[in-house]
Amino acid sequence: MLWLIPLFPIIAAGLLYPWWRTTASRPALAVSAAGVVAVTLALVVVAGTAGWTGSLVWSEQLRLAIGFTPMTYLAALVVPLVAAPIVFYAAAHESPHRLARLLALLVAFTGVMELIVLARDLLSLLMVWEIAGALSWALIGHEFKDRERGRHASQAFLTTRTGDLGLYLAAFIAFQHTGSLAYADLGQMDPLALGLFAAGVTLAALSKSAQLPFAPWLFAAMSGPAPVSALLHAATMVAAGVILLMQFQPILAGVDWFGPLLIAAGLTTALAGGLVATATPHAKRLLAGSTSAHYGLMFVAIGAGYPAVALLHFAMHALMKAPLFMAAGIAGHRAGSYELGQIARVRLPSGLRPAALIAALALAGLVPLGPAWSKEAVVTSAGLTAPWLALLVAVAGGLSALYAARFQGCLFPRSTALTGPESADGTHGGLQRAPVYFLVALVILSSMIWLPGVHRGLGQWLTTSFPSTKLWEFVVSLLLVLAGLFLGRRFAAREISGSAQSSTVRTFLSQWMRLPQAAHGLIVKPVDIVAVRLATLDDRAVDAGIRASTRFTLWLANLGSRTVEWLFDELPEGLAQLAGKAGENTRQLQSGMLHHYYSLMGIGVVAMVLTLILGMFTGGFS
């Protein structure tokens, strides 16, 4: 029964796609598409209470299995909870052109992500990992006729595929050393194999969760529509790497370099992503840099030995990041650009301002919102490894406050000559904003986690305990957040006034330290060249075959006209003459006693059978 959770949205998307193509009603599209995801959420709830399981046996060694652990159950709840309003927003906000295709892919991706969360063996994981990569490519390249967007989709796909090779390496090692691909058997590996397995999994997680050096693929992914960015960043594609590491952390914790490497990669990405988000003038790219930074904090928590802290920050990040992407989508649609300076000149719906403000303050990590609690838990987790790590994580939190305030300040400037009516979204403006309000309400509700009884009970349910916050770490972190909010407002004012200078450093940072160019030169371009060469070789081989076939056919035709024609004429005549001669000879051999021979043969067979029967009764056989 547990297979229903991933299969239902995938099958429903395929069945509803023809109807979505012919339906012009936005409310009907929004309710039906979001309804499918909402039913998926209900299935997760029912499966958790009823104890559903799922398995499919291929052979004694290969079997597909899915199931829940307390942590994966929470992740399985978060995915459709956040995806449903995103799908609703997509139906209300996006252009009718290929909208049915977009909705079908978004809904199906929810099911695929659920299978990544539920998988309990590497074979299931590999299959669905491949599908997730293909779907993300199709979503990012939604406007595939635009060559630039198609190129960005390929860049994102190839960059993540490079990291995916690590997962194949991990699966190969696991099967070779345990004879099984089940998660439950991974602990049987010897230390060397476990280290190689950890290397493969870490490589795959770094690429999927946009950590350095793979982080810039998120910039390329910004070519997709706003709901695609919201879904990939908040609840699906980018989260896959962190969910993978959370599940394997108890097994891989014994590998010496595993924890330090995750902390180093995560912290470096958190700081670099914060600087990139601070410098970029593009609203969606600001949020993309922020995504890398916050997933970097999750890597730090896992590396420090607290995967449950990473899980809660994943959930909080999903709740706050999705409405920010939706607000950016509405603003970008009105401004005709995602440049912050241009967005600041258009009027946005007044109801969107407080909602976006709450989401931005959550991104900043301001107390008492729920995301602030999970961010402080990351600070404390890092501090248990080394105090200076806690300080650096707090600095990353300060950068988060800076770019969050800059984002909010540019979308909703205090006073400037705004253009455009407030209700420029047409008749569906309310439908577009409703999912934003819903998710922001959940962000406010998440503040309850600051209550000791709530986070203590949550820890018991997840069968773990959370580290206790140290006062000095909390004070330093809070001061850095306040400083970041102040500077962010100043940066926003400079962006709006046009006084922000395009310095070399800012250009370098806003281009993700030129890593996209490096990735394009080192990965995408060589792969494209090889693909083109192979295609050329393939064409030549096919063309050569066709030409050879043509020449052979012509040769046969000429041969037929000269030789075979004679053969076709003479052969039947020769055969006829031979047949006639044979018949004549046969008649010469005919003695007229043929029927007599048949009679004698029959009598002989009967006599032989009777002799055998008589021998059986008289015991003559031995």
Side-chain angles (χ1 to χ4, degrees), residues 61 63 82 90 102 105 118 148 178 267 278 309 353 385 399 407-408 419 427 449 508 578 593:
Q61 292 179 318
R63 61 177 59 202
V82 177
L102 179 64
L105 290 175
L118 297 176
E148 185 70 9
T178 67
L267 190 55
T278 300
V309 170
R353 176 192 282 265
T385 302
L399 287 173
F407 176 85
Q408 178 71 12
T419 60
T427 56
I449 198 170
F508 176 71
L578 289 174
M593 299 295 288

Side-chain angles (χ1 to χ4, degrees), residues 93-373:
H93 178 263
E94 288 303 309
S95 164
H97 183 56
R98 287 201 291 271
L99 180 58
R101 172 185 180 276
L102 179 64
L103 293 177
L105 290 175
L106 289 172
V107 172
F109 206 154
T110 305
V112 169
M113 187 62 198
E114 288 289 60
L115 195 48
I116 288 178
V117 173
L118 297 176
R120 304 305 301 159
D121 66 275
L122 292 168
L123 182 58
S124 301
L125 182 67
L126 279 172
M127 289 192 294
V128 75
W129 201 267
E130 289 290 334
I131 298 172
L135 283 179
S136 64
W137 173 78
L139 284 168
I140 295 169
H142 179 61
E143 297 293 339
F144 56 83
K145 292 187 177 179
D146 184 327
R147 291 191 62 184
E148 185 70 9
R149 296 186 180 190
R151 187 176 67 81
H152 285 164
S154 298
Q155 180 181 345
F157 179 72
L158 289 175
T159 305
T160 55
R161 292 293 294 154
T162 303
D164 292 350
L165 295 176
L167 198 57
Y168 283 94
L169 171 68
F172 172 77
I173 292 169
F175 190 76
Q176 184 185 32
H177 286 264
T178 67
S180 167
L181 292 173
Y183 291 176
D185 296 330
L186 295 177
Q188 300 174 13
M189 287 187 285
D190 58 51
L192 177 60
L194 198 61
L196 292 172
F197 178 85
V201 168
T202 303
L203 179 63
L206 287 172
S207 67
K208 236 22 168 214
S209 291
Q211 299 298 289
L212 286 173
F214 303 99
W217 76 261
L218 278 187
F219 266 29
M222 290 302 99
S223 290
V228 171
S229 302
L231 188 69
L232 296 186
H233 287 236
T236 56
M237 183 75 168
V238 188
V242 163
I243 288 174
L244 192 68
L245 290 177
M246 284 190 303
Q247 296 196 66
F248 291 147
Q249 191 275 339
I251 301 171
L252 303 180
V255 178
D256 293 339
W257 53 264
F258 180 69
L261 177 64
L262 293 191
I263 292 174
L267 190 55
T268 304
T269 307
L271 294 170
L275 292 173
V276 167
T278 300
T280 181
H282 191 278
K284 283 180 66 179
R285 290 183 175 179
L286 182 154
L287 296 176
S290 158
T291 298
S292 289
H294 277 268
Y295 274 89
L297 296 182
M298 298 174 210
F299 270 63
V300 171
I302 297 171
Y306 289 92
V309 170
L311 172 67
L312 290 182
H313 198 60
F314 151 72
M316 299 295 180
H317 178 264
L319 294 178
M320 66 187 178
K321 186 54 70 64
L324 289 174
F325 266 114
M326 294 180 196
I330 294 172
H333 179 73
R334 289 194 172 199
S337 168
Y338 285 106
E339 295 297 317
L340 289 169
Q342 296 187 36
I343 287 176
R345 296 186 179 89
V346 299
R347 189 186 306 278
L348 295 177
S350 57
L352 196 60
R353 176 192 282 265
L357 176 63
I358 293 171
L361 291 177
L363 182 64
L366 187 66
V367 177
L369 293 168
W373 185 90

Side-chain angles (χ1 to χ4, degrees), residues 529-545 547:
I529 291 173
V530 172
V532 170
R533 294 288 173 83
L534 289 176
T536 305
L537 179 64
D538 182 63
D539 289 343
R540 288 178 178 174
V542 171
D543 292 345
R547 285 194 295 270

